[in-house]
Amino acid sequence: MEIIKTSSLIKDYDLGKLKVRALSGVDICITKGEFVAIMGPSGSGKSTLMHIIGCLDRPTQGEYYLDQELVSKLPKSSLAGIRNRKIGFVFQSFNLLPHLNILKNVELPLMYFGMSTHKRREKAKQILDSVGLSDRLKHKPNELSGGQRQRVAIARAIVNDPSILLADEPTGNLDSQAGGDILEIFDSLHRSGNTVIMVTHDPAVANRADRIIRIKDGLVEDGDLAT
Amino acid sequence: MAISLRESLHIGIADIMTRKVRSSVTILGIVLGVMCIMVVLAIISGMNASTLSWMEERGGASKIDVYRNWDYDFSKGGYASLSLSEVTRIREMIPEAKALNAQIDIWDALLRYRGKDYPGTAFGVMPDYPIAENWRVAKGRFINNLDIRENSNVIVIGSYVARDLFGTQNPIGRSLNLNGNMMQVVGVMEEKVWISEGGGPWAGNVLAYMNEQSFIPISTLMNKFGGDKMITSMQVMANSPNQALELQKKLDGILLNIKRGKAVFRVSSAQEQMEQMKQNAQIFSMIFILIAVISLFVGGIVIMNIMLASIKERTREIGVRLAVGARRIDIFTQFLVQTVLITALGGVLGIVLGFSILDLVSGFLKMPMQANPNMIMAALLVSVGVGLLFGIAPAIKAGNLDPVIALREE
């Protein structure tokens, strides 16, 4: 079953006089349970593609179906709900809120979902336990190592059982040891049926994926199922 | 469905706690503004209470005064004076009045008793004087109608006069000399006391001068003391404050009639004066409230700026919240609630501080002050209002951030 399907995605950025085309007709298709890496040099449009897939941004033209739902035409106000329920983000720089302890960081998506305090606390504890951080619940992010922080970020990304897990250079800020641990977690999440999409420029990381989609100059160069 | 207000309050309190120094600096303007409002309201309510008690002491709200109209152009003819028979006629025309007194001043009064001199003020008055002035006789009796009819040589003296001339002796029945006329003391007035709160030129017993006064029958003064003594002022007491304004109008008409349309007298009522005082107090209040509002406005602008700066600084946080599913309304609410929390906290601190410095300020400004619970409500409402007003712009700015741009922010 296709979890992601895009057709002729075009994204233009209006920089005053200059119009920049970041995506010039991207067609990709990702099935449920796949582990896909998106690769491309900087400026290739892979970040833009990731933003659109993550519903942080909308395409100028083209269609994007997420989980059979046409989300490219949805108003921005509805995208927040889509992000909340269907997408889990893992960023290169972790993006944890520094003033909240890790339990509260992980609770965040559930809070915006509207879950009761008690229920979301239980769920967040359970998820943090699964990434091996149950003894650090009250710690602030800056009291943890990079690898631990990224594990918190992963816990936050999967706490609301999203349809896709979207990781942007998740090992970029980590040493190889910690990076390896994080990739292990992604592998195991993939094995247990999660759809993982990882943006990276590191071939060693990309090679762990089922499939590599290469983006260049705003187009899919190779790796799409259709090609 | 936005996140609940409780959730926003939680976030807001946590934000304030993690940024204690910034929050306390932010709060300062509001604390001072609210404090200012508290003190101003206390001054105003203190002044009102003091004015009312002053009016009460001076005959209450039912009093009506008739005196020379200084606005009248006397070159057009007419005299601001009445004969005793005219006054008697007026009294008959206003039977609904509780009391009517006419009086003539003897400014150069000199009282003498057994070689002791007492330079004071003496008045020729009518029997209703104690009612009109709300002043009781302490010893003996006041001047009565018989005294008026007979031009009796009787005198009622103030408490200071009695003390200074007679010492411990009972003055009743004794004779003293008033400007060459032997007068028999028939009564001593009660001591008048009205202590003004505060100090300065108003310190002490404001009504002490009244205790230096003496009273004789107005007819005795007019007929036996020589000179062209005429009645130039009258005090009338209505039965109730409600009737005072009506009686004032009626008196005005009667006097115009007697004086053939010439407005040589002015009739004013305590009611009218009170309205005037209220108006003056209102102007005064407006000025002070304006100052307080300006200080709150400045405090609000400071808060708005700090919130705007803080949003700039927290762009990344907002981006993360948006990425995990926060809606614009969630972000908007989060920042609005935080601003309102800060101003409300400032309001509470301002109230506490305002109350604690009230005595200090009251002593320093030498002004009577009065605090009441309504002021707390007002101050709290105002501070929350300031938060809502000045929190909107930062909250809109935060809510309108684009998630992609916000996440890119370093």
Side-chain angles (χ1 to χ4, degrees):
Chain A
M1 192 180 71
E2 288 160 351
I3 196 107
I4 285 174
K5 181 170 171 36
T6 74
S7 61
S8 316
L9 277 191
I10 291 177
K11 181 67 183 178
D12 291 330
Y13 286 113
D14 211 350
L15 306 170
K17 281 180 190 165
L18 206 65
K19 237 184 182 178
V20 177
R21 178 152 289 189
L23 297 179
S24 32
V26 172
D27 302 290
I28 55 170
C29 202
I30 295 169
T31 47
K32 192 168 164 62
E34 248 192 306
F35 185 173
V36 175
I38 296 177
M39 286 192 82
S42 62
S44 60
K46 66 178 192 299
S47 291
T48 304
L49 179 61
M50 200 203 77
H51 290 148
I52 291 171
I53 290 174
C55 291
L56 290 165
D57 208 347
R58 293 191 305 169
T60 312
Q61 273 178 53
E63 287 168 340
Y64 168 31
Y65 291 89
L66 170 63
D67 213 359
Q68 323 294 324
E69 190 182 353
L70 180 63
V71 293
S72 50
K73 295 284 185 288
L74 285 177
K76 277 190 176 177
S77 54
S78 314
L79 290 181
I82 302 279
R83 289 197 294 271
N84 186 241
R85 282 174 281 118
K86 301 202 165 174
I87 295 161
F89 287 100
V90 178
F91 301 95
Q92 178 175 2
S93 51
F94 322 131
N95 275 341
L96 301 173
L97 299 190
H99 298 295
L100 302 183
N101 63 36
I102 67 168
L103 185 61
K104 291 217 160 134
N105 263 289
V106 175
E107 278 180 42
L108 214 53
L110 302 177
M111 183 194 85
Y112 287 116
F113 183 72
M115 194 181 276
S116 73
T117 315
H118 179 73
K119 271 169 96 179
R120 71 186 190 227
R121 186 135 304 167
E122 286 310 305
K123 184 127 191 231
K125 271 183 189 165
Q126 188 192 322
I127 297 285
L128 278 165
D129 191 36
S130 75
V131 295
L133 286 169
S134 51
D135 55 338
R136 300 288 163 96
L137 300 181
K138 298 290 171 191
H139 287 239
K140 294 281 172 69
N142 63 5
E143 294 163 348
L144 303 180
S145 71
Q148 286 172 324
R149 286 187 216 181
Q150 196 60 299
R151 275 192 271 157
V152 175
I154 292 171
R156 183 181 65 189
I158 58 175
V159 75
N160 53 349
D161 303 317
S163 309
I164 57 169
L165 197 54
L166 208 52
D168 185 7
E169 303 277 11
T171 58
N173 279 12
L174 301 175
D175 59 50
S176 55
Q177 171 69 45
D181 291 348
I182 292 301
L183 290 174
E184 276 304 318
I185 296 176
F186 278 110
D187 278 342
S188 90
L189 285 169
H190 170 227
R191 278 197 300 275
S192 58
N194 287 286
T195 311
V196 179
I197 300 164
M198 194 180 286
V199 175
T200 184
H201 64 265
D202 184 348
V205 171
N207 281 332
R208 301 178 78 122
D210 298 340
R211 174 158 68 97
I212 300 174
I213 298 174
R214 289 177 204 278
I215 306 282
K216 199 182 174 191
D217 299 329
L219 284 166
V220 177
E221 198 179 42
D222 131 60
D224 186 59
L225 286 180
T227 55
Chain B
M1 177 194 66
I3 57 167
S4 69
L5 204 62
R6 215 180 103 237
E7 220 60 87
S8 299
L9 281 171
H10 268 297
I11 298 174
I13 291 168
D15 280 343
I16 290 170
M17 293 312 280
T18 49
R19 297 173 174 83
K20 288 192 190 71
V21 175
R22 169 179 295 180
S23 300
S24 37
V25 172
T26 314
I27 239 169
L28 210 61
I30 294 297
V31 173
L32 294 177
V34 168
M35 206 180 75
C36 185
I37 286 190
M38 292 296 287
V39 172
V40 166
L41 289 179
I43 289 176
I44 291 166
S45 97
M47 272 190 344
N48 285 346
S50 141
T51 304
L52 279 177
S53 100
W54 167 256
M55 294 301 267
E56 211 48 61
E57 190 55 40
R58 299 293 289 115
S62 313
K63 197 176 173 189
I64 298 162
D65 277 302
V66 178
Y67 48 88
R68 182 190 172 96
N69 183 5
W70 296 101
D71 292 335
Y72 178 73
D73 179 5
F74 282 91
S75 65
K76 288 181 187 155
Y79 296 97
S81 60
L82 294 164
S83 69
L84 195 54
S85 63
E86 278 172 327
V87 171
T88 314
R89 226 167 72 217
I90 291 169
R91 181 67 182 104
E92 281 160 8
M93 287 161 91
I94 47 165
E96 69 270 34
K98 192 173 161 194
L100 182 147
N101 175 56
Q103 70 177 47
I104 301 173
D105 310 4
I106 318 170
W107 291 107
D108 54 350
L110 182 67
L111 290 94
R112 185 170 289 168
Y113 177 72
R114 291 193 181 165
K116 267 190 277 185
D117 283 356
Y118 192 92
T121 349
F123 299 94
V125 297
M126 296 173 71
D128 275 352
Y129 179 82
I131 306 170
E133 280 293 332
N134 190 22
W135 193 7
R136 280 203 298 259
V137 176
K139 245 185 255 172
R141 65 168 176 91
F142 201 74
I143 294 152
N144 59 28
N145 283 324
L146 190 69
D147 296 328
I148 299 286
R149 221 177 307 140
E150 303 280 317
N151 301 336
S152 312
N153 279 18
V154 292
I155 187 164
V156 178
I157 56 178
S159 57
Y160 291 4
V161 183
R163 187 189 63 199
D164 290 358
L165 284 183
F166 297 97
T168 53
Q169 290 180 331
N170 184 1
I172 308 292
R174 296 181 191 275
S175 289
L176 54 72
N177 185 311
L178 171 63
N179 290 7
N181 296 276
M182 288 311 288
M183 311 295 283
Q184 191 187 22
V185 178
V186 292
V188 179
M189 300 305 288
E190 237 176 23
E191 185 175 349
K192 272 266 186 191
V193 181
W194 196 77
I195 306 290
S196 138
E197 288 172 46
W202 282 67
N205 183 3
V206 181
L207 297 179
Y209 74 96
M210 292 182 83
N211 299 324
E212 297 167 2
Q213 297 170 343
S214 302
F215 307 94
I216 62 171
I218 194 164
S219 53
T220 311
L221 177 63
M222 292 174 89
N223 299 324
K224 289 188 176 172
F225 275 64
D228 297 323
K229 302 284 189 193
M230 292 297 276
I231 294 165
T232 54
S233 68
M234 290 194 299
Q235 297 103 51
V236 180
M237 286 286 278
N239 259 316
S240 73
N242 296 339
Q243 290 171 14
L245 281 173
E246 206 178 309
L247 190 56
Q248 178 193 1
K249 273 192 210 118
K250 189 172 174 186
L251 259 174
D252 211 18
I254 292 170
L255 283 162
L256 273 173
N257 220 357
I258 289 175
K259 289 296 170 188
R260 299 178 205 289
K262 294 194 169 64
V264 292
F265 283 108
R266 170 143 165 65
V267 184
S268 79
S269 65
Q271 280 288 339
E272 196 185 56
Q273 286 169 27
M274 249 187 252
E275 311 262 287
Q276 187 64 45
M277 281 190 195
K278 261 186 212 157
Q279 268 180 24
N280 290 347
Q282 250 166 21
I283 293 167
F284 188 74
S285 318
M286 289 310 271
I287 292 169
F288 268 97
I289 285 173
L290 193 73
I291 293 170
V293 164
I294 288 171
S295 72
L296 278 173
F297 198 79
V298 172
I301 288 173
V302 167
I303 288 181
M304 187 169 72
N305 271 316
I306 292 178
M307 288 308 287
L308 284 171
S310 135
I311 282 157
K312 178 86 189 142
E313 194 179 280
R314 295 167 67 181
T315 303
R316 185 73 171 243
E317 173 193 330
I318 294 165
V320 172
R321 287 183 185 271
L322 288 169
V324 301
R327 277 139 297 193
R328 282 159 176 236
I329 184 79
D330 296 330
I331 302 292
F332 175 88
T333 312
Q334 178 191 336
F335 282 92
L336 187 61
V337 163
Q338 198 185 339
T339 314
V340 171
L341 267 177
I342 288 177
T343 57
L345 193 62
V348 170
L349 284 178
I351 289 165
V352 171
L353 218 61
F355 264 122
S356 49
I357 67 157
L358 219 51
D359 282 341
L360 215 76
V361 175
S362 165
F364 184 71
L365 292 179
K366 302 200 187 318
M367 271 185 183
M369 290 193 185
Q370 215 175 52
N372 69 54
N374 284 350
M375 289 160 36
I376 297 175
M377 222 38 223
L380 214 55
L381 280 178
V382 164
S383 53
V384 168
V386 167
L388 283 174
L389 188 68
F390 291 96
I392 281 180
I396 287 176
K397 190 187 168 192
N400 278 349
L401 281 173
D402 183 275
V404 173
I405 295 167
L407 279 169
R408 207 180 284 147
E409 191 79 22
E410 277 313 315

